[in-house]
Every structure is written in C-alpha cells, then in structure tokens.
Amino acid sequence: MRRLFLSAVFVLASCSSKSDTPAPTPEQDTGVDELTTLLGEGPAPLKADLAGKCDGITGTGKLAFVKKTAAWDLDKDHLDVHGNHLQALDLDGDGYPDLLVQGGPGRIDPKNPRSAGRVLMNRPKPGGGRHFVDETEASGFGAVRPTAPPADGKLRSAQLAVAADVDGDGDLDLFTGANYGEPTALDKDLGDRNEILLNDGKGKFTLAPLSDVQKIPGDILPPTTSATFTDVDHDGVPDLFVGFWYRSYGGGYAGVQARLFKGVGDGTFKDGTPGSGLETQNAGFDAGLNHRPAYGVTACDLDGDGYPELLVSAYGRQSNLLYKNLAGTAFQEVGKASGFAGDANVDYSDNEFYRCYCANEGAGKCPATIPKPRTGCSAGLWNPAQDAKPWRNNGNTFTTWCGDVDGDGKADLYSAEIKHWHIGESSDQSELLVNDGPTADAPIHFTRPGRPATGLDWKHVGSDWNEGGIMVAHADLDLDGLDDLIVGASDYPDNYALVYRQKHDAPGTFEEVGEAIGLHHPCTVGIAIADFDRDGDLDVVVGSSTARDCGKIYTNGNEVHFYENTLNDGAQKNGFLQVALAGKGKGGSNGAGIGARVRVVVDDHGTPRVITKELLGGYGHFGMQHDTALTFGLGASCSPKAVEIRWPDQPGTVVRLTGVGGGRRIRIGEANPSAPIDLAK
C-alpha cells in the first residue's frame, strides 16, 4: 500500500490549552509557496480569520464506544425504533444531525403494516444532553397522493431515502424509494411510489410535483434498492441515479435498467437515461450488455476531472458497472477495463453446487479431478449454460464506498460483498480497490492488493462460514487524520460489525478493533455516522437484521442502537474541523455542495499531510447517507494549515482558505468563501 507524505517540512505552532494564551492562527506560517507545494498550482489563499478553539487539545484521546440507545430514547421503553436503512441528516438546519429510519414497522398508524419510516429529530433533552423526538407524522414524510389507490392505510412505504437540495432553497430535500416488498407482483398496485419530498427548512415535507421520478417506463412497481444524488453536468441542480433489483426474482438473471433522472431545479426530474450511454438490455450477458440486479449505486469522481462517475453494485455474482462521465455530456461503461466489474478469479471448480452437478446429472461431463461435494445435493443447483460463464462468477455486491483511503488524493473503492463457503473462491470477497489509474488500457483503473496486504481481513468461524458484507462506511473515528472503515456484517451466524482502524504508524493498512472499542454489533444492516452530540467526534447508529439466526438475538425486532463515541469526553481531546457547504444553486454549485472535493492540510507530528474528502449524495445498499458536514480529524493540532474546496460548478472553481480554526463546525458558502459561518452549539 502506498501513502503520499509530502516532503516539505514546516511545523504548526503547538496549541495551548491555557485560556490566557491566544491560539496561533495557521496563516501566520503558511505562505502561497508552501500551499502550492502541498496542493499543487491553484489560486492564492483567502484569509478567513477564525481562530482555533484549542482548549483541551493536549494529546491523543482513547477511542471507545458506549451503547447509549436508551439515553437517546431509541429503545423499546421510549420510541421503540426499528429499521435497517438509516440516514444522518440535518433536516431543520439547526446544526445537529437528525435521524431517518426505514425498513422497520412503524407506529404512526398501528393498523397499517406499511409504515412510512421514522423521522427522528435531534432535540435538547430536558435536564441536559440530547435525544431524539419522533416527528414522523408531523413531518409529512409518509404522505400519499390523493389519487393513490390504497384504501388500507394513510401512508405509503418508504424503504430508502437520500437527500440533496433539489429546489435550491438551501435545505435538504428527500428522495424516498419504495416498492421493494413485492417485486413479483407487478400487477398489484398498492399505491406506493418513489417520491421527491420538498423541505420547508424546518423538517416539514410536501410531495413535489409529479415528474419522471414517480414512474419508470415498463414497470408499475419497480423494486427500488438504491439511489444517489449527484450533479452529472455541473449545472447547479442535483440529478438522481436510481438502482433497481430483479424484475422478478427467480424469473431469470436480468435486472431492471438503472436510471438517471436530470434535475430541473423545482423538485421535478426528467429521465436522462435514453441516449446517455447508460442503457442496458434484457439480453447480452456474455458481452456485459444486460440489466444488472442492482443492490447499490454510488456516484463519485474517480478520475479527478471533477465530474462524477456512476457505479452499479450488482447482485447474483454478476459483474459491477462503472460509467465514466464524459464531462457531463454522456457516459462510457468501463467496469471490466477498470477492474471494478469483479476480481480475476472465475474458477468455479470449488463451487459445491458445481461439484453436485458433477456427481449427479453432469456425471461424466466434468474433469475426473473434481472432488465429491461436501454439502447436500439436489437437482438444478448448477446450470452449466449460465453458471460456468465469467459473468456469473463475480460477486454479490451490496454496497460500494468511494473515498481516498491511502492519502494520494485519488478516490479508492471498498466493495461490501456477501460470500458463502459453498460457492467457492470465484465469488468475490469484500475488499479494498486502490485507484492507480489511469493506465494505458483504461482511463480509470483499480488494483486489489488483497486482505493480507491491507489488514482488512475477515475471520471465519467453522468450515461452513458466511461473510455477510452488506454495507460499508468510512469515518475518522479517532480523529487522527486517517479514515477508518466500518463494514456492516449481517444475517448470518458469527457476523458482527467490523471496525477497521487505520494504523497511524503504517498508513494504508488496518487492524480490526470492533470488539476492543465496544462497537461489536451483531447482524448490522444499517449504518449512519454523525457527530450527534456535537462534541467533535463521530457517533455511530446501527440497524439490526432479524433474518436467519439473527432473529434469536433481536427478539424485539430489527432494533436500532446508538453507539456514542467517547473519544473527546475526557481531558485529552483530538482536534477536528467540520465543514458544511452551501452552493449557489443554478449558475454555480448545487445547494448542498454534493460532489465538492474538500482538501485539508494538517500537521502530522511535524510533517504536513493532505486529507481529501468528497461529499457524497447518499450511496450503497438502500441509500446510506451520513452527515453532509465533513469531519476532518486534526490529531493533536488545533487548526489546519489550509482548507481547499473544489466546487462542483461548470468551471470547477477552486478556493483556498487559511485562518480556518479547528474545534468547530463551520459552513463555507460558494458566494462568499472567505467569511465562513461558525455553526456554534
């Protein structure tokens, strides 16, 4: 694994914790030449004049999590929250992330099993602290259009949600996806629809005008599994990329066309799929032309040109799709050439279903060297016409995360995969894909260094093991300036949340510490990360599966649990900076700044280092989304050397700031970046 450490040497003045000693501002020893060395050629820096809040930053805190589900009123004695699709979003603009929950039974209308999900607002708690308050019904989250067919309830189903400012008024609006529950009953219209919900700025939603989002050509009830907001053409209006599963599970291998909806700017969208280069079809499996049964979609800039690529995480051991963005005008599919489609192993000889075939209906048709199966057999487990093909020997990819893991400024990928012992090594494993492109053969390219090289290992229990990789998130949990990874492991025995902490003495490699730090949650199928209590470190909320053996653990349903990060609770604290963005809207960047790349220069024990983050508009399996304010860990430093923002507008405007003090949450506006707003508690 590689890591970019820049050789320019300058040291931040140490941050005093004494209240009578003024905190040094980083611009005092930051020059244009130094920033050019670190960040490359760019504009002269602007001065922000926000001194760092340095009190208490004396060294490295100890990373630990404490379960605080009851304290936040999520337990069965209070709000009794259930679900497995979560988003952490500031819906009312008060600077505190709120919590959206889907995929569990609701309590708004007990007679209606198709709950709309939960809207839980982060509010001051009587007597001190914070807690969640259920405002689902008041929010309008589950509203049904007057013309909707169902007579059995007041709410439509929402199985996922992602957020962006779709109408340019400065708050977060929502896309909610539905209809996953009955993918084989397309003739039974229950009235559920994919919907756009417009926010009034206070967390109250109304249905947007009808547009192409609400109806997918050829499908009454598309089984929606995933969505991401992005701005593919940098017109300042968010676009929406939506993934769907099989048209009919068990009715063939073809999925449903993933679709791109272009934002108009008023909350409506037009189908931008035809003619875009994103088209797939019901056939063409060998050539990779077929619809994929998507379990996740992701949008991020993989080649550094500022425009987001679109990724489809495919289920059924089919190959993933990666669409290179051609400067906002069209897309080119490069999944196989890039190395994202699947790993190189397509040898199915250790697949137990293949061995069953060889021992029974395929007797005499297989090599004599194929061992006898180690599992029970029945006819039809292996179809040589399809299962022997390379396109059927990839992964069950549920979520693809995108971000710069190794510090070279390029966005890497982590694919969360479900893998079973009996399918064999041709089934892809959850692993890191390192961005080393472009190459002579591909404009975007990834290598797979493997688990031993990265430390992102997955321990197996017994010979009949299952890897339940379903979701993945990243966060600098210990605020040391290096991102850590959290992998949700679900549905199978001996599967717990895996927390991979990046090693500070060996950046780019990891160690699994979930049990040691108290974040060893069994059957994790939802992850939402944010600084809910605004103490600077990142807390984690998880959803739980009740499928298979997990139902023996969670007898109260798919419970939602709150894990509070205690890193900054004691005398020793790590420095941080949280950056929220505000774009201009049409004519500039989209309102929430989704797609913006933020780079922060930090002092790492005397050596300057650059941290790069891109603001994603939701991603992965059933719409994961974390706080839209990006958190940068500063370690023992109180303030960064500089902050750089590349806005997702037409010219790709780059702004550099010095004098941005740490220990605070700020909002930087595209219109006036040199005057960031301190979002004080």
Side-chain angles (χ1 to χ4, degrees), residues 453-467:
T454 60
L456 296 167
D457 207 357
W458 196 307
K459 295 181 180 179
H460 296 157
V461 178
S463 59
D464 56 345
W465 50 266
N466 300 279
E467 296 182 2

Side-chain angles (χ1 to χ4, degrees), residues 79-223:
L79 298 177
D80 196 19
V81 177
H82 301 82
N84 41 37
H85 313 140
L86 312 175
Q87 302 84 35
L89 300 162
D90 182 4
L91 299 176
D92 57 0
D94 66 352
Y96 283 86
D98 308 301
L99 184 65
L100 288 174
V101 182
Q102 308 90 45
R107 296 181 60 202
I108 306 169
D109 183 357
K111 296 180 181 180
N112 186 354
R114 294 181 297 105
S115 168
R118 307 288 287 273
V119 177
L120 306 174
M121 304 302 290
N122 186 345
R123 299 284 188 243
K125 189 174 186 177
R130 309 284 300 185
H131 70 153
F132 291 114
V133 175
D134 192 332
E135 296 189 10
T136 309
E137 190 169 11
S139 73
F141 181 78
V144 175
R145 295 183 183 275
T147 56
D152 60 337
K154 304 174 182 177
L155 304 173
R156 60 184 166 77
S157 171
Q159 293 294 326
L160 66 94
V162 291
D165 180 8
V166 302
D167 55 3
D169 63 355
D171 52 42
L172 291 176
D173 310 299
L174 300 175
F175 166 79
T176 63
N179 309 322
Y180 177 70
E182 298 190 45
T184 61
L186 299 180
D187 59 337
K188 185 179 180 181
D189 188 351
L190 298 179
D192 293 336
R193 291 291 184 274
N194 295 343
E195 291 285 5
I196 297 292
L197 300 176
L198 300 179
N199 192 347
D200 68 353
K202 299 179 182 179
K204 303 295 187 294
F205 298 96
T206 56
L207 294 168
L210 285 169
S211 65
D212 288 350
V213 167
Q214 284 82 15
K215 186 174 181 180
I216 312 301
D219 289 292
I220 298 174
L221 293 175

Side-chain angles (χ1 to χ4, degrees), residues 7-325:
S7 58
V9 177
F10 51 90
V11 183
L12 270 176
S14 61
C15 299
S16 170
S17 62
K18 298 180 180 180
S19 60
D20 58 349
T21 304
T25 54
E27 72 273 7
Q28 290 173 331
D29 60 0
T30 300
V32 176
D33 292 341
E34 291 171 324
L35 289 179
T36 300
T37 301
L38 288 164
L39 300 173
E41 294 293 336
L46 304 172
K47 186 177 179 182
D49 286 329
L50 283 176
K53 298 179 179 179
C54 302
D55 288 354
I57 301 178
T58 59
T60 300
K62 182 180 179 181
L63 179 62
F65 286 86
V66 176
K67 188 183 289 188
K68 292 289 187 71
T69 306
W72 283 81
D73 289 349
L74 297 174
D75 64 320
K76 64 180 180 180
D77 294 328
H78 296 89
L79 298 177
D80 196 19
V81 177
H82 301 82
N84 41 37
H85 313 140
L86 312 175
Q87 302 84 35
L89 300 162
D90 182 4
L91 299 176
D92 57 0
D94 66 352
Y96 283 86
D98 308 301
L99 184 65
L100 288 174
V101 182
Q102 308 90 45
R107 296 181 60 202
I108 306 169
D109 183 357
K111 296 180 181 180
N112 186 354
R114 294 181 297 105
S115 168
R118 307 288 287 273
V119 177
L120 306 174
M121 304 302 290
N122 186 345
R123 299 284 188 243
K125 189 174 186 177
R130 309 284 300 185
H131 70 153
F132 291 114
V133 175
D134 192 332
E135 296 189 10
T136 309
E137 190 169 11
S139 73
F141 181 78
V144 175
R145 295 183 183 275
T147 56
D152 60 337
K154 304 174 182 177
L155 304 173
R156 60 184 166 77
S157 171
Q159 293 294 326
L160 66 94
V162 291
D165 180 8
V166 302
D167 55 3
D169 63 355
D171 52 42
L172 291 176
D173 310 299
L174 300 175
F175 166 79
T176 63
N179 309 322
Y180 177 70
E182 298 190 45
T184 61
L186 299 180
D187 59 337
K188 185 179 180 181
D189 188 351
L190 298 179
D192 293 336
R193 291 291 184 274
N194 295 343
E195 291 285 5
I196 297 292
L197 300 176
L198 300 179
N199 192 347
D200 68 353
K202 299 179 182 179
K204 303 295 187 294
F205 298 96
T206 56
L207 294 168
L210 285 169
S211 65
D212 288 350
V213 167
Q214 284 82 15
K215 186 174 181 180
I216 312 301
D219 289 292
I220 298 174
L221 293 175
T224 308
T225 61
S226 48
T228 182
F229 278 113
T230 184
D231 185 356
V232 297
D233 52 5
H234 288 182
D235 64 352
V237 179
D239 308 308
L240 179 68
F241 188 50
V242 182
F244 308 97
W245 205 41
Y246 292 105
R247 182 179 304 273
S248 177
Y249 186 57
Y253 294 103
V256 175
Q257 167 79 61
R259 307 200 78 88
L260 175 67
F261 299 98
K262 301 293 294 296
V264 176
D266 59 356
T268 63
F269 291 78
K270 294 182 178 180
D271 191 351
T273 311
S276 65
L278 299 170
E279 299 97 328
T280 49
Q281 59 192 37
N282 280 324
F285 290 85
D286 290 345
L289 303 176
N290 61 291
H291 302 322
R292 301 301 197 275
Y295 250 155
V297 294
T298 306
C300 63
D301 178 15
L302 294 172
D303 55 7
D305 66 353
Y307 287 91
E309 276 64 55
L310 301 178
L311 299 90
V312 175
S313 303
Y315 181 72
R317 302 198 309 279
Q318 296 196 35
S319 55
N320 300 321
L321 296 168
L322 195 166
Y323 294 99
K324 174 177 166 50
N325 191 332

